Each structure stands twice: as C-alpha cells, then as structure tokens.
Amino acid sequence: MDKEKEVHINMVQLFNYFEHISLLVEKGHVDEKIVKSAFKTLFLSIYSEFKFYIDERQVQHRRSWIKFEELCLKWAKE
C-alpha cells in the first residue's frame, strides 16, 4: 500500500472515531462534561488543522463527520 493511501485510511479512521464519540455525546450515552474535559483541546486543534480535509470529504459525502464538526463548533463558542 502506498503512503498516500495509508494516510487517507488513517485519517478516515480518526475522523470516524471522533464522529462516534460526538454521536455518543449527542445521544446522551456519555457525559459531555467528561468528554469535553478529555477531548476539547484535541478536537478543536484537529478540526482547525484539518478543516480543509473535512470540507473536501463533505463535497462528495455531505454528512461526513457532521456531528464531530457540530460538536467542535459548539465547544469553540464556549
């Protein structure tokens, strides 16, 4: 597997993981305060750094990582 494809796969897995956590927060299955305490800095820095990547993905798949994005935007305002 070439390096570019490997990086792409890793990025998708990372954002899928963040999306899953974001969905758990939205549905109330995990406590948002605990998740925010553990992940806010990481989520916001990754979101900021890779916003271009998320935007590109959403051109093809409109709802890609939308819950992660919504949570980041919410936390950024707080």
Side-chain angles (χ1 to χ4, degrees):
M1 176 182 324
D2 68 12
K3 189 69 173 170
E4 187 174 320
K5 185 171 182 155
E6 184 178 342
V7 168
H8 173 73
I9 289 169
N10 290 335
M11 293 294 294
V12 169
Q13 289 175 337
L14 175 69
F15 285 113
N16 285 347
Y17 175 67
F18 288 168
E19 181 75 358
H20 184 72
I21 291 170
S22 301
L23 281 166
L24 291 173
V25 168
E26 180 186 69
K27 298 297 182 187
H29 296 299
V30 296
D31 186 83
E32 183 174 353
K33 288 181 185 178
I34 293 171
V35 174
K36 185 178 179 182
S37 173
F39 287 99
K40 180 181 178 179
T41 301
L42 176 64
F43 271 36
L44 294 181
S45 63
I46 293 289
Y47 178 74
S48 175
E49 189 71 27
F50 293 98
K51 174 79 169 106
F52 74 94
Y53 185 80
I54 293 168
D55 289 344
E56 285 180 15
R57 175 73 173 216
Q58 289 176 345
V59 167
Q60 296 173 4
H61 307 281
R62 184 173 63 86
R63 305 237 354 119
S64 292
W65 310 312
I66 194 75
K67 296 303 176 184
F68 169 65
E69 184 172 41
E70 289 172 358
L71 190 59
C72 287
L73 294 173
K74 175 184 174 188
W75 288 351
K77 290 179 184 177
E78 296 176 353

